[in-house]
Amino acid sequence: MAKVELKQPIVQAIADDVKDAASVVLVDYRGLTVAQDTELRKQLREAGIVYKVCKNTMMKRAFEGTDFAALDEHLEGPSAIAISKDDATAPARILCKFAKDAKALELKAGVVEGTVYDSAALTELSKIPSREELLSKLLGSLQSPITNLARVLNQIAEQGGAENCTPAPAEEAAETPAE
């Protein structure tokens, strides 16, 4: 059996993983202890991110004809790949957070939604909150005016109705006609 026949399934597996991926991040994992690597893999797995250590030539072949082909120039030395199909910023966020404690982990580059980012840009990108956090903040800001209105109406009801409430000075000034 030829070597090409042995390598083809591995290249195909990588190509299947990056197909329809929202983001791919390359890292240099040299210097990580076994415990650190295990913890990193656990965090990535819990977030639904595929993390693999692959040969650079196989990744280059798998990236051919995709947006991720721009990562070819960064495929030097030992490389691991983190692939996310759902949350585009999750790999960068988790890897950057982990790299703060594990200085040996080094981000090389990544492609997020078709745009190539270097390690500095990935660090900035990692500061963006997750989709769930952004949605909860949006919901909170949309819900805030309604909540405030409900509180005001509740206070009016507790004081016995609108006729028992005294208007604020700013409202009185707005009601008096200008001379």
Side-chain angles (χ1 to χ4, degrees):
M1 186 182 284
K3 288 185 177 183
V4 174
E5 293 171 357
L6 295 173
K7 294 178 182 179
Q8 188 58 34
I10 298 169
V11 171
Q12 187 60 43
I14 298 168
D16 290 343
D17 285 338
V18 298
K19 182 183 174 198
D20 302 327
S23 65
V24 170
V25 177
L26 288 175
V27 294
D28 184 349
Y29 59 90
R30 284 184 291 189
L32 287 180
T33 65
V34 173
Q36 288 173 326
D37 188 49
T38 304
E39 179 60 28
L40 175 63
R41 287 174 185 268
K42 180 183 174 213
Q43 289 179 18
L44 291 170
R45 194 177 322 109
E46 287 172 355
I49 298 167
V50 177
Y51 179 78
K52 291 182 175 183
V53 175
C54 306
K55 288 190 170 193
N56 293 336
T57 55
M58 291 187 192
M59 283 193 272
K60 282 181 183 178
R61 293 245 167 83
F63 294 162
E64 285 175 1
T66 66
D67 293 340
F68 310 111
L71 294 174
D72 287 356
E73 65 188 63
H74 300 284
L75 290 171
E76 294 176 4
S79 299
I81 186 171
I83 306 163
S84 176
K85 293 189 184 271
D86 302 324
D87 189 354
T89 60
R93 198 171 47 253
I94 293 170
L95 290 168
C96 285
K97 182 180 174 187
F98 194 84
K100 288 178 185 175
D101 297 329
K103 301 294 183 198
L105 185 68
E106 181 182 322
L107 274 74
K108 291 183 174 184
V111 174
V112 179
E113 295 180 343
T115 307
V116 180
Y117 294 98
D118 63 355
S119 61
L122 283 174
T123 304
E124 287 301 312
L125 191 67
S126 71
K127 296 175 184 173
I128 296 174
S130 69
R131 185 175 191 273
E132 290 78 24
E133 289 177 55
L134 289 173
L135 286 173
S136 66
K137 287 180 181 181
L138 175 67
L139 240 127
S141 63
L142 290 175
Q143 192 177 20
S144 179
I146 296 168
T147 304
N148 290 339
L149 176 66
R151 284 187 190 132
V152 169
L153 293 175
N154 189 31
Q155 287 176 351
I156 291 171
E158 287 174 357
Q159 293 178 0
E163 56 276 346
N164 293 336
C165 292
T166 57
E171 291 174 349
E172 288 179 280
E175 290 176 5
T176 57
E179 295 177 21

